[in-house]
Amino acid sequence: MAYCQHCQQHFLDIKSLEQHLRSSKHCCDRCQKFFKSPRSKKQHMENSKCQSVHLVGRSCHPNVRSKGPQRARQGRSDSSLPMMIGVAVTDIYPAYLGVPRDAVMPIFRMACRLRFIKPDVDTLLRHINTQLDHMIVAALIEAALRLLPPDNTPEGKERMQKKMRDAQLAENSFTDQIRAMDYRFLTESEQKERNLQPTPDIRFLKPVSIHGKLCHWLEYKNYFGFKANPFVAAKTRKQLRRYLSALGPGAVVYRLGFEIDHISIEGVQSFREAETLYSLKQQSRAKLSMK
């Protein structure tokens, strides 16, 4: 799933998003601000304030403070929150740096308070306001429900099995897309067949650069990553340290994004799925054009 940060529309894949951006908007090459016409973009570029911002490589996106990368407020969803100072992946797809902790924790705390009634997103939003994407809100509710005793009823077991099936399908889709770009790697099952240890979801045969970071492996997570995630965050950090020790630098890729600084392990990067696939796709295209 890809997301247009300007008009808050979702698209099935990155290719659809690219086509949408090329056909309907004009983008500032440096700050990713969108304009309805070339003339308005030209006026933006000629504006003295914007020029000074461009000279230092900062973002002039309206949802971002210009003083630093620590806070990004007032976005309509998690996808708009991380538009911070930094290097863009491309001219139309900015790097994702994460969601501020103070945007995550109030929602998670409310979900914990309401966990005994097993709230859905609409129920939770009647108790607290948020600008986070509803898919992230649902993920935070799911995390809060881990604090309840296990549901061993047939219905509970079926829900758990469905969740595991959905996670596996998402992971398969992610790996299939990377395989289609002609990257060479071993999946977790392929590593087990060869008796390799440890077994991240992707072990590259040759290290790959993603957003300028060299990665020997990728671990995929079908949820939103945040530091307070019960029974999950600590387990994930332990898992990533094991991969780092055995295989070298790598990254964890979250489908829904992550909280800023939720994992602070030198040599382990955090990426969101959409930006990871886009970065790899651009590099794959560049290699093909050189042949």
Side-chain angles (χ1 to χ4, degrees), residues 45 47-58:
M45 295 296 294
N47 181 279
S48 58
K49 181 179 178 180
C50 182
Q51 285 182 343
S52 65
V53 170
H54 286 173
L55 288 174
V56 296
R58 294 182 177 180

Side-chain angles (χ1 to χ4, degrees), residues 98-134:
V99 179
R101 182 175 174 81
D102 59 8
V104 174
M105 289 310 297
I107 308 305
F108 178 62
R109 292 192 188 104
M110 180 58 69
C112 289
R113 288 177 56 189
L114 300 176
R115 66 185 184 277
F116 295 104
I117 66 171
K118 298 183 179 179
D120 57 16
V121 172
D122 291 336
T123 300
L124 188 141
L125 294 181
R126 285 198 290 269
H127 289 79
I128 188 171
N129 293 321
T130 181
Q131 302 297 327
L132 291 178
D133 187 275
H134 286 191

Side-chain angles (χ1 to χ4, degrees), residues 120-166:
D120 57 16
V121 172
D122 291 336
T123 300
L124 188 141
L125 294 181
R126 285 198 290 269
H127 289 79
I128 188 171
N129 293 321
T130 181
Q131 302 297 327
L132 291 178
D133 187 275
H134 286 191
M135 293 180 68
I136 293 181
V137 174
L140 295 176
I141 293 173
E142 183 68 28
L145 295 181
R146 294 193 187 100
L147 297 172
L148 295 174
D151 186 353
N152 293 320
T153 64
E155 295 79 8
K157 291 180 179 179
E158 174 58 31
R159 282 193 295 270
M160 179 58 66
Q161 290 173 359
K162 182 180 184 303
K163 180 181 176 181
M164 294 173 64
R165 289 194 299 269
D166 290 344

Side-chain angles (χ1 to χ4, degrees), residues 176-187:
D176 287 347
Q177 290 181 74
I178 298 178
R179 185 89 74 186
M181 299 174 200
D182 206 27
Y183 288 96
R184 300 183 63 198
F185 60 87
L186 299 175
T187 63

